[in-house]
Amino acid sequence: MPRTGRPRSFNRDEAVAAAMLLFWEYGFESTSLAQLRAAMGDISAASFYAAFESKEALFREAVDQYISTYGHISESFRDTSLTSKAAMELGLRQSARMQTENSHPLGCLLVLSAVNCSPEQQHIRDLLSKERERVRGWIKECIERAVANGELPESTDISMVVMLFETFLRGISTQARDGVPYEAIDAAITPLMSVWDALSVEPGIRGID
């Protein structure tokens, strides 16, 4: 008769959460299997491979968990109950707060794990790039919505505005890892949003003093 094997002696969701924090702190390549197994309850190598098949498969699960929990704040860019400007500002401020909290690794897993990958791990870079591309798409939709509803003029260079706000968003990771506090990053968002106000004024229709 077939062997049934021993039941897993760990909680899978908790194990993935523990792995997520390690990958977030050290990146995919620098996180060793020994570190992962220890953080996941000192599970054996056999239990690890039986549950997750490979380090890469576990990383994919960890990325999915990050997106559905901490990374969920990016959904703010898609909030159509707000004006496009308010949705953009909320997304930036919430991201700044999350990335600077001390209850978990600083910065953004989707950004930092890509920086730490060697060329041999291009498939990991591609995975993370795809996830960042999704958020970039939400930012683009937010700006397109602003043009469609008249918040921004039709002449708006949408690609340029996307680049402006996404570059700031991704740069938060480096600032957070360097110890820049939330208050400083949050304060910088205020003048950044003033750029939106400047863009909202159609050239040629300003009053003449």
Side-chain angles (χ1 to χ4, degrees), residues 96-170:
R97 182 173 293 281
M98 185 280 288
Q99 293 191 56
T100 53
E101 287 178 346
N102 291 320
S103 59
H104 53 67
L106 300 173
C108 172
L109 183 151
L110 301 181
V111 173
L112 298 173
S113 291
V115 172
N116 293 335
C117 273
S118 68
E120 289 75 19
Q121 303 295 340
Q122 183 62 44
H123 56 296
I124 297 297
R125 289 185 175 183
D126 292 342
L127 166 67
L128 297 167
S129 176
K130 182 179 179 180
E131 296 300 339
R132 294 194 304 274
E133 177 65 31
R134 180 169 58 171
V135 177
R136 184 181 304 117
W138 294 344
I139 293 175
K140 183 172 183 287
E141 289 171 5
C142 181
I143 296 165
E144 289 175 338
R145 188 166 66 249
V147 173
N149 63 27
E151 286 185 69
L152 292 176
E154 292 184 2
S155 60
T156 298
D157 185 339
I158 293 175
S159 295
M160 179 274 291
V161 180
V162 171
M163 180 67 70
L164 173 68
F165 285 101
E166 193 199 11
T167 297
F168 185 97
L169 175 66
R170 300 310 178 194

Side-chain angles (χ1 to χ4, degrees), residues 2 19 27 41 47 58 65 96 128 153 155 157 166 174 180 192 196-197 207 209:
S47 294
L58 172 60
Q65 184 163 126
L128 297 167
S155 60
D157 185 339
E166 193 199 11
T174 302
V180 177
L192 174 66
W196 183 292
D197 295 331
D209 294 331

Side-chain angles (χ1 to χ4, degrees), residues 27-46:
F28 173 78
E29 201 162 17
S30 296
T31 302
S32 69
L33 285 174
Q35 286 176 302
L36 289 167
R37 287 167 47 203
M40 296 160 70
D42 288 319
I43 63 174
S44 67

